[in-house]
Amino acid sequence: MPTTPDLSTTVWRKSSYSNTQGGSCVEVADGIPGIVPLRDSKNPDGPALIFEAAVWTSFVQAVKSGEFRPD
């Protein structure tokens, strides 16, 4: 059974695509072996989404290659 990692001392950074007007902002935590945690910067005490590092890398590569295009 997977366990929830302790993210209480995690250093978060805001996405470079986030704006400075307090809009939709995503934060990511780097340097945690095997996982990539994401959270909503407007709700830092809320839940984080935890992705396996390989799955997150595949998703980012697909976005960069244009696999997900808006209709």
Side-chain angles (χ1 to χ4, degrees), residues 7-60:
L7 301 176
S8 63
T9 60
T10 301
V11 176
W12 297 88
R13 68 175 172 85
K14 195 173 285 192
S15 166
S16 60
Y17 289 94
S18 296
N19 64 36
T20 57
Q21 285 77 38
S24 301
C25 301
V26 173
E27 291 182 326
V28 64
D30 297 317
I32 303 173
I35 65 169
V36 178
L38 299 173
R39 72 178 184 184
D40 181 348
S41 66
K42 296 181 301 306
N43 187 12
D45 295 322
L49 296 173
I50 309 295
F51 296 92
E52 290 181 12
V55 171
W56 181 252
T57 298
S58 294
F59 171 73
V60 170

